[in-house]
Amino acid sequence: MTNQTRNNRGFSLIEVMVTLLLLTVGMLGLVVMQGRGIQYTTDSAQRNNALMLASEAMEMMRAAGAKDADAHYLFNELPPSEDCENEIDASAVDKQLGCWAKRVRLLLPDAEALKGEFQVCRSNAPKTCANNGSAFMVQVAWRAAGDDCMDDSPEAGNDPSICRLHLQGEL
């Protein structure tokens, strides 16, 4: 054989191994991106549910005319579920909160275990329950899909896997 035919025989084993290594690294990158995409989608769905539930609680307080100074609901345990099939009077806040808690259990993961993380209270400052002022604050919480919340605003000293949404508004 001549030198010219020897150079055209095909790929060497080293070339094949390098190609397989590059393909493997690329495929692993795709798998990681797919997992992260699922985590972001789950987080987005949970945030949407939390915002819907917080808005619902705020509207419940508005409908009930909760202007008394002692209107403070800190849920060490979510209220028991109510029969929500029949219409409930707007002034029956406890029954409405029971229906609300039923939806919380349905829409937010691990809500029952998050004791003390759900609040509806009067507030004069963001993210606080001072039981004074003309505004109401609603706090809703859920357990993150990954290791921590994706909002880049962890509260000092708190579990980073618990996400909290605060909604504050005037009644």
Side-chain angles (χ1 to χ4, degrees), residues 3-18:
N3 278 346
Q4 193 173 20
T5 58
R6 187 177 293 161
N7 290 340
N8 294 331
R9 290 171 114 174
F11 298 107
S12 70
L13 185 58
I14 291 178
E15 290 171 326
V16 171
M17 295 297 284
V18 167

Side-chain angles (χ1 to χ4, degrees), residues 47-108:
R47 282 185 192 285
N48 286 339
N49 288 338
L51 184 57
M52 179 189 65
L53 289 164
S55 297
E56 187 177 316
M58 184 67 72
E59 290 305 316
M60 210 175 353
M61 292 294 111
R62 282 189 178 125
K67 297 191 183 286
D68 54 332
D70 62 343
H72 179 194
Y73 303 94
L74 169 65
F75 304 118
N76 287 326
E77 292 184 17
L78 285 172
S81 296
E82 290 287 332
D83 174 24
C84 304
E85 302 273 327
N86 300 322
E87 188 173 324
I88 300 173
D89 189 287
S91 62
V93 176
D94 289 337
K95 286 187 177 187
Q96 286 191 348
L97 284 172
C99 290
W100 180 77
K102 187 176 185 179
R103 286 186 291 281
V104 167
R105 288 181 185 97
L106 180 68
L107 295 173
L108 295 178

Side-chain angles (χ1 to χ4, degrees), residues 22-34:
L22 290 174
L23 285 173
T24 303
V25 168
M27 293 302 257
L28 286 174
L30 287 174
V31 168
V32 169
M33 283 178 35
Q34 177 71 20

